[in-house]
Each structure stands twice: as C-alpha cells, then as structure tokens.
Amino acid sequence: MLSNQEKLRFSRQTMLKNIGEQGQQALKKASVLIIGVGGLGNPASLYLNAAGVGNIYLADGDNIELSNLPRQILFTETDIGQNKADTSAEKLQQLNSATNIEVLDEMLDAELADYYLPLVDLVLDCTDNINSRYLINQKCIEHKKPLIIGAATGFDGQHMFVNPNIADSACYQCLFPAHKKPPENNCQTIGILGPVLAIIGGMQALQAIKFLTGHAVATNQLNIFDGLHNSWQQFTLKKQANCPICSG
C-alpha cells in the first residue's frame, strides 16, 4: 500500500486512469538499471526517480567535465572531476530520498552485466558508443531483460524497445549487424544540442514507466526524431532469422 505521503506526492500520477495506485505500487516495486549517466541518463534518471521507481541502479565510469554541463543537467560547475554515477545518485536522493539507488562507478562489462541484470526488471541503454550498445543488447537477450535504447547526435535522436520475452522482437543487432557496424558518431565527433537529449531521454523514461505499469510498448519499431524540423518518423523492424544474438 502507498503511504499517505506517497499518495500526496504522486497524486497527479495516480489520478491518471492508466496509472492509478496500482501502477504507482508497481513503480515502487520496480528495479531499473540505467547504463550511462550522461546526456540521456540525466533526464531519464531524473524522471524515473521523480516518478517513484523504487530501485535504480546507475552505471557510469566517467568523470564530469566542463564540456558536459550544457546538456547534462544534473551537474554543476562544483561537480567537475567527480564521478557521474556517484554525483547523480547524490542529486537524485535530494529529489526523492525514498528511492533505493545503487551506484556502479565503472563502465559496465560482460561480468558486471551478468551480475546486475538478474537484479532488475528493465534496462535503459543511455551510452554513447556502439560497442557498449552491442554488449548491452547481447546481455539483455541472454538474461531475458527488456531494453530501451536511446541515442542522439546533432539535432537528431532515436529510441527503440527490445523485449527478449516476445518471440518476434528484433534486437539492436538485427538493426545494425556487427559486420555492418554503423559509423562511430557521438557527441565528441559531431556535437549535440542539449534539448534533443532531453527529448530522447524523456521518451526512454516514458516508455519505461509504461512498461513497468503494465502497458504495451511497441517492439520492432525504430523511432527517429528530427529536432531541426520538429518531426518524428517510425520505421518497422523485423527480427532477422540469421541474427547471432536473438535468433539462436
């Protein structure tokens, strides 16, 4: 049951017929792993923490730099040089002290993924490099953990949902086979505008809340945002019969 304080705090959410107190209780019981607490992980973690997700795991081995501040909105000038996951946890606890937050202040590798994924209900990939996305996708398939992938560069962003518990759900490697690896474009190579990250990170949080409260989230769908022209496009994906990750 929700406490009186929780009922007051989350009243604007529980009055939604698609959430209600039952949905809020589901959020309270949920565990989410956010990998990468930078431009995408900042807004995603803020919104999931504020929404009442009870257990949040933050994984990031990077330290905060001056060039992060225009888009990584959890951080301030006094945080420069500090670990992103540690600092994010401190800020998030100030927003919602009831959330159980666990920090992994290093980059997620295969061994760490094998340890942490069984502990969570959902994974958010908020990283900014291709190799990490391949690893996270592979481990989520192995452990049957639903995955929300986000990416953004320049004025553009994208997100997709992978659910290994649905037989025909395409995975990241179905979209980008390893032998056709996309170019390594990220914020450091072509730049980024902060609000684009807020939009994609916010969409990751929205999809997460929908999933955790029992609502359908579309698989086999790549959602692409064009911030320069303020438009969305959706592309239908298909699980690849020869995918070495999800069709074994």
Side-chain angles (χ1 to χ4, degrees), residues 96-223:
N96 186 355
S97 59
T99 307
N100 175 41
I101 300 178
E102 184 168 332
V103 168
L104 174 60
D105 58 358
E106 56 186 300
M107 297 304 185
L108 194 82
D109 58 18
E111 183 178 357
L112 290 169
D114 287 335
Y115 176 80
Y116 280 97
L117 262 62
L119 305 178
V120 302
D121 305 302
L122 177 67
V123 177
L124 269 64
D125 180 355
C126 298
T127 61
D128 64 354
N129 71 84
I130 299 298
N131 290 332
S132 293
R133 291 197 190 106
Y134 281 125
L135 173 64
I136 295 165
N137 176 75
Q138 176 183 344
K139 287 301 178 180
C140 284
I141 298 298
E142 289 179 8
H143 291 276
K144 301 291 187 183
K145 296 297 178 179
L147 167 66
I148 301 173
I149 304 169
T153 51
F155 283 86
D156 304 320
Q158 58 185 267
H159 67 88
M160 65 178 289
F161 178 58
V162 177
N163 191 346
N165 300 297
I166 296 177
D168 66 347
S169 176
C171 75
Y172 182 77
Q173 194 152 316
C174 291
L175 178 62
F176 295 116
H179 66 281
K180 296 181 179 179
K181 185 183 295 188
E184 186 67 70
N185 292 329
N186 56 39
C187 300
Q188 295 179 355
T189 59
I190 64 175
I192 185 65
L193 195 63
V196 175
L197 290 159
I199 290 168
I200 301 302
M203 288 301 300
Q204 287 182 276
L206 174 60
Q207 301 293 73
I209 291 169
K210 287 160 53 181
F211 173 78
L212 295 171
T213 55
H215 297 285
V217 178
T219 57
N220 297 344
Q221 181 175 286
L222 179 65
N223 304 276

